[in-house]
Amino acid sequence: DGGITQSPKYLFRKEGQNVTLSCEQNLNHDAMYWYRQDPGQGLRLIYYSQIVNDFQKGDIAEGYSVSREKKESFPLTVTSAQKNPTAFYLCASSIDRGGSYEQYFGPGTRLTVT
Amino acid sequence: QKEVEQNSGPLSVPEGAIASLNCTYSDRGSQSFFWYRQYSGKSPELIMSIYSNGDKEDGRFTAQLNKASQYVSLLIRDSQPSDSATYLCAVTYNGKLTFGQGTILTVHP
């Protein structure tokens, strides 16, 4: 059963704590992405990785960090430097179908920081 | 200037009608165009992709692309209450997807 899994579904943290969100895929996709979605907003790109051991900053990378040690896994750490971390976090993956970059999303993690 | 623009709606249509969702984009070099459906509290689901000018049909959905006008649209025929969701337009440029803010569609019985 192929797909993208994210855990946990809901996460609560105190301000000042770092937190790591998990993203795993068994689709054999090369590229993986992290987005953030705020209420009533579109998706904003945080980080992306097109190959193992390499990743690039997206539009809103400040306060976040990632690693890509395995093709299947792309965890996102929300650090205490992120000023407004409460949001819906979405992981996606894609395979380059002749440059199409169709992306498929995991179920998301809803992070609340108080 | 936003790179991908959509009317946020809400767009309300009666059951059985055609829903028309529109999107404009700013980068003339954009290569691929997608429509995602997002139900409240859920993640986006890819429903249509289109790469060349013209129409592409898939069941009740038709995507239309006009690169000269930098315009992409989604038509939903015979709209059902289950189509009520937010529809996100996404455009690829240089390997990255840029999303619009989404259009809320409500189909009322």
Side-chain angles (χ1 to χ4, degrees):
Chain A
D1 193 19
I4 305 170
T5 57
Q6 292 185 245
S7 60
K9 187 174 181 179
Y10 298 97
L11 190 55
F12 298 89
R13 281 292 183 271
K14 294 290 187 184
E15 195 173 314
Q17 293 179 331
N18 291 354
V19 60
T20 297
L21 282 58
S22 168
C23 178
E24 304 278 334
Q25 56 98 0
N26 60 4
L27 300 169
N28 199 34
H29 285 175
D30 294 310
M32 297 185 74
Y33 310 81
W34 275 105
Y35 294 90
R36 168 184 174 138
Q37 187 175 36
D38 295 284
Q41 302 290 316
L43 278 65
R44 292 184 290 168
L45 181 64
I46 304 172
Y47 268 99
Y48 64 105
S49 168
Q50 294 180 316
I51 196 168
V52 174
N53 293 322
D54 189 41
F55 48 83
Q56 288 77 40
K57 293 182 180 180
D59 302 318
I60 55 165
E62 185 177 349
Y64 300 96
S65 65
V66 294
S67 63
R68 185 87 187 276
E69 297 177 2
K70 299 186 299 181
K71 187 175 184 178
E72 302 80 17
S73 179
F74 191 41
L76 173 75
T77 297
V78 184
T79 75
S80 56
Q82 169 49 233
K83 294 180 181 177
N84 297 296
T86 294
F88 188 36
Y89 289 88
L90 290 156
C91 178
S93 69
S94 72
I95 188 168
D96 180 3
R97 302 185 186 204
S100 73
Y101 299 98
E102 288 182 354
Q103 291 187 18
Y104 298 90
F105 286 85
T109 292
R110 201 167 295 276
L111 173 65
T112 302
V113 177
T114 58
Chain B
Q1 181 186 0
K2 292 183 181 176
E3 296 178 353
V4 179
E5 292 206 39
Q6 296 180 252
N7 187 329
S8 61
L11 173 66
S12 182
V13 301
E15 184 174 357
I18 296 175
S20 177
L21 305 161
N22 304 314
C23 174
T24 58
Y25 60 95
S26 59
D27 284 317
R28 287 198 169 271
S30 294
Q31 299 139 345
S32 308
F33 307 86
F34 307 96
W35 283 98
Y36 287 83
R37 177 177 62 199
Q38 187 175 24
Y39 292 115
S40 181
K42 302 296 186 182
S43 62
E45 173 192 9
L46 179 65
I47 56 171
M48 287 291 284
S49 52
I50 187 166
Y51 310 106
S52 54
N53 280 328
D55 294 0
K56 179 182 178 183
E57 186 175 317
D58 184 2
R60 295 186 296 112
F61 299 102
T62 299
Q64 299 175 317
L65 175 62
N66 184 325
K67 289 187 178 180
S69 300
Q70 295 175 247
Y71 176 94
V72 58
S73 65
L74 178 71
L75 301 178
I76 306 174
R77 291 182 299 282
D78 188 24
S79 295
Q80 301 297 310
S82 59
D83 294 325
S84 298
T86 298
Y87 289 80
L88 300 168
C89 173
V91 175
T92 294
Y93 184 70
N94 283 343
K96 292 193 298 181
L97 269 187
T98 300
F99 287 83
Q101 290 190 319
T103 299
I104 299 171
L105 172 66
T106 302
V107 181
H108 54 87

